[in-house]
Amino acid sequence: MGSLGAIVRHPDDVYPLLKLKMAARHAEKQIPAEPHWAFCYTMLLKVSRSFALVIQQLDPQLRNAVCIFYLVLRALDTVEDDTSIATDVKVPILIAFHRHIYDRVWHFSCGTKEYKVLMDQFHHVSTAFLELEKNYQAAIENITKGMGAGMAKFICNEVETVDDYDEYCHYVAGLVGLGLSKLFHASGKEDLAPDHLSNSMGLFLQKTNIIRDYLEDINEIPKSRMFWPRQIWSKYVNKLEDLKYEENSVKAVQCLNDMVTNALLHAEDCLKYMSALRDMSIFRFCAIPQIMAIGTLALCYNNIEVFRGVVKMRRGLTAKVIDRTKTMADVYGAFFDFSCMLKSKVDKNDPNATKTLSRLEAIQKTCRESGLLSKRKPYILRNESTNSSTMVLILVIILSIIFAYLSAKRQDN
């Protein structure tokens, strides 16, 4: 559940949070009995709980393929992220990773916490991978090969230009979008989406993560990780790490806003991609992370806290997005509302204000022209105040008691 303070400020978070908690418990009960599949779905819950909840709604065969695709790429990403691995060791592993997924005994110890467990017991993932249909295997192998080669390239090269930035994000996330589109098509449930739209779906998510994770990446031990392109940050500071120092706060926020403005370039492509989806479970699987991304960009924009700590959507709002994203009207509504939130934060004196406003207006125009805004549920930015915090606390207590009672009753049965 979210913190009590957040619930008091946003009382209508309670019901979605309870539903999310129940969905998480249900997902845990749906873990398959076979040891290798049990490992894969248990690990999925540990490395991406929200993703795991959405993936559970997919058709069983597609669900298994997407689960393994995610874990394979998460393992590949763990190798890339581990800055303690020497370059001459890391690069060959990245390049050959697409072959390791066919090896039932291969593993490589790296990473920390649950990621180390994933790498130490990767043979479970390989075993599950080999049980997938051949068309799913081919799509996963192809994307893993491209991603590993791209990661290896940028192990040895800095992200200098915006073109480099786009290329790096293509390798680590755009290819994920292409791979998922291939899996959706292989399932027979969707037409094959254009590559440029699939790529934008990945880039929008990846750029949001790179922006949000500035402080974590720059403070990485033993070596910092730098993904913000020099072409952008060098306009504001001499070194990328200078952005985290208080004396550079004004320049840091301006640089941050520049980065957010760059990410917004992909929003319209994402809307076009999602509007073409037919299968409800695939639609929700794609739409929920995209809404989370534009929501996170809205929170990060003009926010010095990106350089001081962690900026993310509160858990109750995340629960609402998961619970209430059901139609394209909900997506247009969320993108429109978060664009309005972001627009309200634009300072006319910001160096990129004109460009930022232009991109936000383009997103809002797309949302308006859909004709679906009137059918949305305006859950993102509505006034969530309450007349009495006491009544809210009583409501929370009552709902908690009801939830505990229902949980106990299910266990007894």
Side-chain angles (χ1 to χ4, degrees):
M1 291 281 285
S3 69
L4 183 59
I7 290 173
V8 169
R9 290 190 297 274
H10 309 279
D12 60 347
D13 283 0
V14 174
Y15 181 62
L17 280 166
L18 289 174
K19 287 186 70 175
L20 183 63
K21 194 171 185 67
M22 292 175 71
R25 291 192 175 187
H26 178 72
E28 290 171 2
K29 292 179 180 179
Q30 298 302 307
I31 293 174
E34 301 93 331
H36 51 292
W37 284 108
F39 175 84
C40 290
Y41 277 99
T42 299
M43 191 54 55
L44 187 67
L45 284 166
K46 290 181 178 179
V47 299
S48 182
R49 179 165 292 273
S50 297
F51 180 89
L53 295 178
V54 179
I55 196 179
Q56 289 286 350
Q57 301 173 45
L58 295 172
D59 173 84
Q61 284 194 344
L62 179 58
R63 178 172 66 223
N64 286 342
V66 173
C67 172
I68 298 307
F69 185 46
Y70 183 88
L71 291 178
V72 166
L73 299 187
R74 175 54 64 192
L76 181 64
D77 191 53
T78 300
V79 175
E80 186 210 19
D81 284 351
D82 193 331
T83 55
S84 68
I85 305 172
T87 299
D88 61 342
V89 174
K90 181 181 292 190
V91 169
I93 294 174
L94 294 174
I95 291 173
F97 209 90
H98 66 288
R99 293 195 293 270
H100 296 318
I101 61 180
Y102 286 94
D103 187 342
R104 292 179 185 269
V105 298
W106 184 86
H107 63 92
F108 180 75
S109 186
C110 66
T112 59
K113 300 179 181 177
E114 59 268 22
Y115 301 103
K116 186 177 189 305
V117 176
L118 172 63
M119 298 305 299
D120 286 341
Q121 301 186 48
F122 191 77
H123 62 280
H124 288 306
V125 180
S126 298
T127 300
F129 168 80
L130 291 169
E131 293 182 2
L132 299 176
E133 292 182 2
K134 295 296 183 183
N135 53 353
Y136 289 139
Q137 289 182 11
I140 293 172
E141 178 189 1
N142 178 262
I143 297 302
T144 304
K145 181 178 181 180
M147 185 179 291
M151 286 178 168
K153 175 180 178 179
F154 279 93
I155 290 296
C156 307
N157 295 287
E158 294 286 340
V159 178
E160 296 285 345
T161 66
V162 172
D163 285 343
D164 291 340
Y165 183 45
D166 286 341
E167 184 182 7
Y168 172 76
C169 290
H170 165 73
Y171 286 132
V172 300
L175 284 174
V176 179
L178 269 68
L180 286 171
S181 293
K182 292 180 188 297
L183 294 180
F184 300 156
H185 180 60
S187 74
K189 295 181 178 296
E190 299 289 351
D191 295 330
L192 185 60
D195 283 356
H196 73 283
L197 296 184
S198 300
N199 189 60
S200 284
M201 289 284 283
L203 264 63
F204 193 56
L205 299 182
Q206 183 65 21
K207 288 185 175 183
T208 299
N209 290 341
I210 286 174
I211 291 166
R212 181 199 62 196
D213 294 341
Y214 166 84
L215 193 62
E216 178 183 341
D217 289 340
I218 209 73
N219 289 336
E220 182 75 29
I221 296 173
K223 181 182 178 182
S224 64
R225 298 158 67 221
M226 300 186 182
F227 302 116
W228 290 32
R230 181 185 297 272
Q231 186 178 343
I232 289 180
W233 61 256
S234 63
K235 293 186 286 184
Y236 305 95
V237 288
N238 293 323
K239 294 184 292 184
L240 182 56
E241 56 265 36
D242 290 346
L243 294 172
K244 68 181 181 179
Y245 300 124
E246 191 169 349
E247 61 267 25
N248 297 321
S249 294
V250 174
K251 292 294 185 182
V253 168
Q254 291 176 346
C255 183
L256 168 65
N257 294 346
D258 203 340
M259 290 288 290
V260 171
T261 302
N262 173 274
L264 291 172
L265 270 173
H266 308 289
E268 290 170 88
D269 275 354
C270 293
L271 291 171
K272 189 171 183 179
Y273 180 101
M274 290 183 283
S275 68
L277 295 172
R278 300 191 304 262
D279 182 86
M280 174 59 72
S281 62
I282 291 175
F283 168 77
R284 279 174 47 78
F285 172 84
C286 294
I288 289 169
Q290 298 296 331
I291 292 176
M292 298 287 291
I294 194 165
T296 301
L297 289 177
L299 291 175
C300 288
Y301 184 84
N302 217 35
N303 188 352
I304 191 62
E305 290 305 311
V306 170
F307 305 98
R308 305 288 182 264
V310 180
V311 175
K312 61 181 181 180
M313 288 171 59
R314 70 177 191 277
R315 187 162 176 75
L317 184 51
T318 298
K320 282 182 185 176
V321 171
I322 293 173
D323 181 44
R324 301 181 187 179
T325 301
K326 295 182 171 67
T327 69
M328 201 55 209
D330 299 323
V331 174
Y332 284 126
F335 268 66
F336 186 86
D337 284 346
F338 278 126
S339 295
C340 288
M341 176 181 170
L342 211 160
K343 194 173 182 178
S344 70
K345 297 168 70 175
V346 177
D347 183 343
K348 66 180 181 179
N349 295 317
D350 185 271
N352 291 282
T354 301
K355 188 187 298 183
T356 307
L357 290 171
S358 176
R359 290 182 184 167
L360 290 172
E361 285 160 7
I363 294 169
Q364 292 177 337
K365 181 173 182 286
T366 298
C367 295
R368 280 192 296 265
E369 289 180 349
S370 72
L372 296 174
L373 285 183
S374 61
K375 299 179 181 179
R376 63 182 168 142
K377 294 179 180 177
Y379 59 89
I380 300 295
L381 297 175
R382 73 183 185 187
N383 184 359
E384 299 173 303
S385 63
T386 183
N387 293 329
S388 171
S389 60
T390 303
M391 291 300 294
V392 172
L393 289 172
I394 292 172
L395 175 64
V396 170
I397 293 168
I398 292 172
L399 289 174
S400 298
I401 292 171
I402 292 171
F403 177 73
Y405 170 77
L406 290 175
S407 298
K409 190 172 181 180
R410 284 198 307 274
Q411 291 172 0
D412 291 339
N413 293 336

